[in-house]
Amino acid sequence: MSSEKLYNGGLPQFSTLAPFDHQPRTRLIFGINCVERVGDLTRELPASKVLLVTDPGIVAAGHSERVRRFLEKAGLRVTVFDQSEENPTTGCVDACLQIAKSSGIDAFVAVGGGSSLDTAKGCNFLLTNGGRMQDYWGSGKATKPLLPLIAIPTTAGTGSECQSFALIADSETHEKMACGDPKAAPRIAILDPVLTLSQPLRVTACTGVDAIAHVVETAVTKKRTALSLMYAHEGFKLTVPNLPRIFENPNDLEARGRMQLGAAFAGLAIENSMLGAAHSAANPLTAHYGIVHGQAVGMMLPYVVRFNGQDREALRAYAELASAPEIACVSDGPEKALDALIAHLESLLQLSGMPRSLAACGVQASMIPTLADEAARQWTASFNPRPPSAKDFMSLYQSALEGRKA
Ligand SMILES: [Zn+2]
């Protein structure tokens, strides 16, 4: 008998026993007014010349000027790129790159929503490794080290501050490219809930629903592990009860803080287990109709959860997720828990003031085959517990078009 392996059997059919290799890459700093530490933290990287990446809305809210002052007070030289755009494109990253190249920087500080963070990450790839954004589509394509990045989110949504992926849209094809590399993960994420108070209510709603969709999707993906589930469940408990509290009182700093932490934990869940079919279905809606990411994901989510609920393991996983913030109780049976979860998601969408049908967003029935075809080709679809075909996406879109009950 000669075998290198101690155990030669197959893995038990228990997906949370899936193997993982998790290295925390992002130092998380959380607290009210902790953004004031950004100067010292950047200097300690070490760094001396910084590119501050942000967007016009964040400039108007006064956040970028404040961060700039903290950096300069610590003796850092600061150049600003404030033209990050929603759903950043390759054109936007190229514009940022021009500024980065001419300033001789040794670090990035990104302040804003996922768009600013992703623009900085995209620019970091090109500045340090050359080529064009398309070269980094996929995972682990950067061969040289990247510059350190400090991420300061002002929304509670994308979780980009905890991820090694940047979502950049091709300026010509509008296709969203997920460009990832462990080296692209922010070195530090500064989570200061005070910064999220300035979000317009619509941004709070769309990013909040996106964060909740992240935990719902990561909780059932094929790549989920015991570790990613821990982040997903904690993220669900933090976000689901607190988004309605923020709608009631946008200045509720405690609810804002919990929401921001939940979004970051959801980001860590994605980093470890990827996403699912609601994101696959959302991307073509954003590409063709400009529907905001969080809204597109939110509108598709209840239908995807119902679709996935036909898989026994996913059904069980949803029931466990719904039990964490007491939306349901597993002991009442997984089917009941699934119904309760879907009803709760639908009520959250209602509270968020989102249109309840794709038709109300201008989506035409004649486009459904094109949308379905594109959705089925999205990378995230391959991690969904039930692999959806283009035909499956057609019926998901049809239900969403009419705003049927999931
Ligand atoms: Zn998302």
Side-chain angles (χ1 to χ4, degrees):
M1 284 282 282
S2 68
S3 171
E4 293 287 319
K5 288 182 182 167
L6 203 56
Y7 175 65
N8 278 321
L11 252 182
Q13 283 301 309
F14 184 60
S15 57
T16 54
L17 271 189
F20 63 77
D21 180 345
H22 174 63
Q23 172 153 27
R25 299 187 180 96
T26 303
R27 176 180 169 191
L28 285 182
I29 297 175
F30 172 75
I32 289 167
N33 291 327
C34 68
V35 69
E36 292 170 8
R37 294 173 58 191
V38 66
D40 292 337
L41 289 166
T42 309
R43 213 184 46 214
E44 287 162 12
L45 283 172
S48 60
K49 283 178 269 179
V50 175
L51 182 64
L52 178 59
V53 180
T54 187
D55 70 62
I58 299 304
V59 172
H63 298 318
S64 65
E65 188 49 36
R66 219 167 135 239
V67 168
R68 182 199 185 111
R69 280 204 305 275
F70 291 136
L71 292 167
E72 287 178 345
K73 211 168 142 198
L76 292 141
R77 213 160 84 202
V78 184
T79 307
V80 179
F81 175 77
D82 59 9
Q83 295 302 312
S84 299
E85 54 192 35
E86 208 176 303
N87 305 312
T89 59
T90 45
C92 173
V93 172
D94 288 339
C96 185
L97 179 65
Q98 294 312 315
I99 310 276
K101 271 184 175 165
S102 59
S103 342
I105 56 160
D106 50 15
F108 287 88
V109 173
V111 187
S115 310
S116 294
L117 272 50
D118 283 1
T119 302
K121 283 182 200 168
C123 180
N124 201 357
F125 274 112
L126 302 187
L127 183 69
T128 53
N129 281 260
R132 42 185 225 133
M133 217 53 247
Q134 286 81 349
D135 300 335
Y136 303 96
W137 193 354
S139 171
K141 306 267 178 79
T143 53
K144 298 178 199 155
L146 275 76
L147 293 182
L149 160 66
I150 294 186
I152 309 177
T154 58
T155 62
T158 65
S160 178
E161 64 274 13
C162 294
Q163 288 165 38
S164 58
F165 276 81
L167 282 180
I168 308 290
D170 189 310
S171 287
E172 279 161 27
T173 63
H174 303 289
E175 193 152 20
K176 268 201 180 187
M177 301 181 287
C179 306
D181 194 289
K183 299 187 281 297
R187 190 76 59 84
I188 302 173
I190 297 178
L191 306 175
D192 183 343
V194 179
L195 297 178
T196 65
L197 289 173
S198 64
Q199 293 174 86
L201 208 56
R202 188 173 145 67
V203 176
T204 297
C206 288
T207 54
V209 166
D210 188 29
I212 290 168
H214 290 165
V215 284
V216 174
E217 294 235 275
T218 54
V220 297
T221 64
K222 282 184 189 163
K223 276 181 75 87
R224 71 188 188 276
T225 67
L227 189 99
S228 73
L229 276 176
M230 185 185 76
Y231 286 125
H233 283 200
E234 199 56 31
F236 201 60
K237 275 196 291 189
L238 285 163
T239 52
V240 162
N242 284 293
L243 189 57
R245 278 180 62 184
I246 295 172
F247 291 145
E248 258 172 49
N249 174 15
N251 292 320
D252 185 336
L253 196 56
E254 195 183 318
R256 290 279 191 185
R258 290 184 195 282
M259 198 65 208
Q260 194 182 31
L261 266 186
F265 289 173
L268 285 163
I270 297 174
E271 185 73 2
N272 286 282
S273 71
M274 306 310 287
L275 284 161
H279 275 75
S280 317
N283 288 343
L285 292 171
T286 303
H288 290 279
Y289 293 97
I291 300 176
V292 178
H293 174 75
Q295 182 181 325
V297 172
M299 291 177 78
M300 296 308 299
L301 187 66
Y303 305 106
V304 169
V305 171
R306 179 65 72 194
F307 172 81
N308 287 341
Q310 290 171 43
D311 175 274
R312 281 214 65 74
E313 280 194 34
L315 178 67
R316 177 82 199 168
Y318 282 136
E320 283 171 5
L321 182 74
S323 303
E326 298 172 1
I327 291 171
C329 185
V330 177
S331 58
D332 290 340
E335 282 83 7
K336 259 196 173 160
L338 183 79
D339 288 344
L341 174 64
I342 291 171
H344 201 86
L345 292 173
E346 286 177 333
S347 73
L348 280 172
L349 293 171
Q350 189 79 37
L351 274 179
S352 307
M354 288 184 181
R356 298 312 315 278
S357 75
L358 289 181
C361 305
V363 177
Q364 301 114 317
S366 59
M367 271 296 284
I368 286 182
T370 309
L371 296 168
D373 201 44
E374 289 178 16
R377 282 189 281 116
Q378 298 280 316
W379 192 36
T380 46
S382 62
F383 306 109
N384 198 61
R386 284 183 72 199
S389 63
K391 211 170 143 218
D392 293 325
F393 275 114
M394 278 183 57
S395 68
L396 291 169
Y397 280 128
Q398 192 60 44
S399 302
L401 185 82
E402 297 163 21
R404 284 185 209 149
K405 269 203 99 51

Short mmCIF file of all heavy atoms in Angstrom, two decimals, residues 157-159 163 167 176 206-207 209-211 213-214 217 270 275 278-279 282-283 293-294 297, ligand 1:
data_model
loop_
_atom_site.label_atom_id
_atom_site.label_comp_id
_atom_site.label_asym_id
_atom_site.label_seq_id
_atom_site.Cartn_x
_atom_site.Cartn_y
_atom_site.Cartn_z
N GLY A 157 -22.15 49.91 0.39
CA GLY A 157 -22.75 49.13 -0.68
C GLY A 157 -21.84 48.12 -1.35
O GLY A 157 -21.95 46.93 -1.11
N THR A 158 -20.90 48.60 -2.15
CA THR A 158 -20.18 47.69 -3.03
C THR A 158 -19.26 46.73 -2.28
O THR A 158 -19.03 45.63 -2.74
CB THR A 158 -19.30 48.45 -4.03
OG1 THR A 158 -18.28 49.14 -3.30
CG2 THR A 158 -20.09 49.44 -4.82
N GLY A 159 -18.71 47.17 -1.16
CA GLY A 159 -17.72 46.34 -0.47
C GLY A 159 -16.40 46.31 -1.21
O GLY A 159 -15.52 45.51 -0.89
N GLN A 163 -12.12 44.22 -1.40
CA GLN A 163 -11.98 43.27 -2.51
C GLN A 163 -10.77 43.53 -3.39
O GLN A 163 -10.34 44.67 -3.55
CB GLN A 163 -13.22 43.32 -3.40
CG GLN A 163 -14.44 42.72 -2.78
CD GLN A 163 -15.67 43.13 -3.54
OE1 GLN A 163 -15.64 43.21 -4.76
NE2 GLN A 163 -16.73 43.39 -2.83
N LEU A 167 -14.32 46.58 -11.06
CA LEU A 167 -15.27 46.39 -12.17
C LEU A 167 -15.13 47.58 -13.10
O LEU A 167 -15.48 48.71 -12.74
CB LEU A 167 -16.70 46.33 -11.63
CG LEU A 167 -17.12 45.00 -11.02
CD1 LEU A 167 -18.56 45.08 -10.54
CD2 LEU A 167 -16.96 43.85 -12.01
N LYS A 176 -18.94 44.79 -18.77
CA LYS A 176 -18.27 44.99 -17.49
C LYS A 176 -17.19 43.94 -17.32
O LYS A 176 -17.45 42.75 -17.38
CB LYS A 176 -19.27 44.86 -16.34
CG LYS A 176 -19.88 46.18 -15.95
CD LYS A 176 -20.45 46.12 -14.54
CE LYS A 176 -21.06 47.46 -14.17
NZ LYS A 176 -21.48 47.54 -12.77
N CYS A 206 -29.99 52.48 -3.24
CA CYS A 206 -29.41 51.59 -4.26
C CYS A 206 -28.19 50.84 -3.74
O CYS A 206 -28.05 49.64 -3.96
CB CYS A 206 -29.04 52.37 -5.52
SG CYS A 206 -30.49 52.91 -6.44
N THR A 207 -27.31 51.54 -3.02
CA THR A 207 -26.11 50.87 -2.51
C THR A 207 -26.48 49.92 -1.37
O THR A 207 -25.89 48.84 -1.25
CB THR A 207 -25.06 51.89 -2.03
OG1 THR A 207 -25.66 52.78 -1.08
CG2 THR A 207 -24.51 52.71 -3.18
N VAL A 209 -29.35 48.25 -0.99
CA VAL A 209 -29.96 47.04 -1.58
C VAL A 209 -28.86 46.17 -2.22
O VAL A 209 -28.88 44.95 -2.12
CB VAL A 209 -31.05 47.43 -2.60
CG1 VAL A 209 -31.44 46.25 -3.47
CG2 VAL A 209 -32.27 47.99 -1.88
N ASP A 210 -27.88 46.82 -2.84
CA ASP A 210 -26.76 46.07 -3.43
C ASP A 210 -26.03 45.26 -2.36
O ASP A 210 -25.74 44.08 -2.54
CB ASP A 210 -25.81 47.05 -4.13
CG ASP A 210 -24.73 46.36 -4.94
OD1 ASP A 210 -24.99 45.24 -5.44
OD2 ASP A 210 -23.64 46.93 -5.09
N ALA A 211 -25.76 45.90 -1.21
CA ALA A 211 -25.05 45.21 -0.12
C ALA A 211 -25.85 44.00 0.35
O ALA A 211 -25.28 42.91 0.58
CB ALA A 211 -24.80 46.17 1.04
N ALA A 213 -28.04 42.34 -1.40
CA ALA A 213 -27.96 41.34 -2.48
C ALA A 213 -26.63 40.58 -2.41
O ALA A 213 -26.57 39.38 -2.69
CB ALA A 213 -28.12 42.01 -3.84
N HIS A 214 -25.57 41.28 -2.03
CA HIS A 214 -24.27 40.61 -1.94
C HIS A 214 -24.29 39.48 -0.91
O HIS A 214 -23.79 38.39 -1.17
CB HIS A 214 -23.17 41.63 -1.57
CG HIS A 214 -22.87 42.58 -2.68
ND1 HIS A 214 -22.16 43.74 -2.50
CD2 HIS A 214 -23.20 42.55 -4.00
CE1 HIS A 214 -22.07 44.38 -3.65
NE2 HIS A 214 -22.68 43.67 -4.58
N GLU A 217 -26.57 36.56 -2.19
CA GLU A 217 -25.94 35.76 -3.27
C GLU A 217 -24.75 34.94 -2.75
O GLU A 217 -24.59 33.77 -3.09
CB GLU A 217 -25.48 36.69 -4.40
CG GLU A 217 -26.64 37.38 -5.12
CD GLU A 217 -26.64 37.15 -6.62
OE1 GLU A 217 -25.95 37.90 -7.34
OE2 GLU A 217 -27.33 36.23 -7.07
N ILE A 270 -17.86 38.24 -0.70
CA ILE A 270 -17.66 38.14 -2.16
C ILE A 270 -16.22 37.73 -2.46
O ILE A 270 -15.97 36.87 -3.32
CB ILE A 270 -17.93 39.49 -2.86
CG1 ILE A 270 -19.39 39.91 -2.68
CG2 ILE A 270 -17.60 39.40 -4.36
CD1 ILE A 270 -19.69 41.31 -3.22
N LEU A 275 -20.12 35.83 -6.61
CA LEU A 275 -21.53 36.25 -6.60
C LEU A 275 -22.38 35.28 -7.42
O LEU A 275 -21.89 34.25 -7.85
CB LEU A 275 -21.63 37.68 -7.16
CG LEU A 275 -21.18 38.78 -6.18
CD1 LEU A 275 -20.86 40.06 -6.92
CD2 LEU A 275 -22.22 39.03 -5.11
N ALA A 278 -28.21 36.97 -9.78
CA ALA A 278 -28.85 38.30 -9.77
C ALA A 278 -27.88 39.32 -10.34
O ALA A 278 -28.28 40.25 -11.05
CB ALA A 278 -29.28 38.69 -8.35
N HIS A 279 -26.59 39.14 -10.05
CA HIS A 279 -25.59 40.05 -10.62
C HIS A 279 -25.41 39.80 -12.12
O HIS A 279 -25.21 40.74 -12.88
CB HIS A 279 -24.27 39.95 -9.86
CG HIS A 279 -24.26 40.83 -8.64
ND1 HIS A 279 -24.94 40.49 -7.50
CD2 HIS A 279 -23.69 42.05 -8.39
CE1 HIS A 279 -24.79 41.46 -6.60
NE2 HIS A 279 -24.04 42.42 -7.11
N ALA A 282 -28.26 41.51 -13.74
CA ALA A 282 -28.25 42.97 -13.58
C ALA A 282 -27.32 43.65 -14.59
O ALA A 282 -27.64 44.72 -15.10
CB ALA A 282 -27.83 43.33 -12.16
N ASN A 283 -26.18 43.05 -14.84
CA ASN A 283 -25.19 43.74 -15.68
C ASN A 283 -25.70 44.13 -17.07
O ASN A 283 -25.50 45.27 -17.50
CB ASN A 283 -23.89 42.93 -15.77
CG ASN A 283 -23.12 42.98 -14.45
OD1 ASN A 283 -23.38 43.84 -13.61
ND2 ASN A 283 -22.18 42.06 -14.27
N HIS A 293 -26.76 50.01 -10.82
CA HIS A 293 -26.39 48.65 -10.44
C HIS A 293 -27.25 48.08 -9.30
O HIS A 293 -27.86 47.01 -9.44
CB HIS A 293 -24.91 48.60 -10.07
CG HIS A 293 -24.46 47.28 -9.52
ND1 HIS A 293 -24.26 46.18 -10.32
CD2 HIS A 293 -24.21 46.88 -8.25
CE1 HIS A 293 -23.89 45.15 -9.56
NE2 HIS A 293 -23.86 45.55 -8.29
N GLY A 294 -27.30 48.80 -8.18
CA GLY A 294 -28.03 48.30 -7.01
C GLY A 294 -29.50 48.06 -7.29
O GLY A 294 -30.09 47.10 -6.80
N VAL A 297 -29.80 44.90 -9.60
CA VAL A 297 -29.58 43.68 -8.82
C VAL A 297 -30.78 43.42 -7.92
O VAL A 297 -31.30 42.29 -7.84
CB VAL A 297 -28.29 43.81 -7.96
CG1 VAL A 297 -28.16 42.63 -7.01
CG2 VAL A 297 -27.05 43.91 -8.84
ZN ZN B 1 -23.34 44.39 -6.53
#
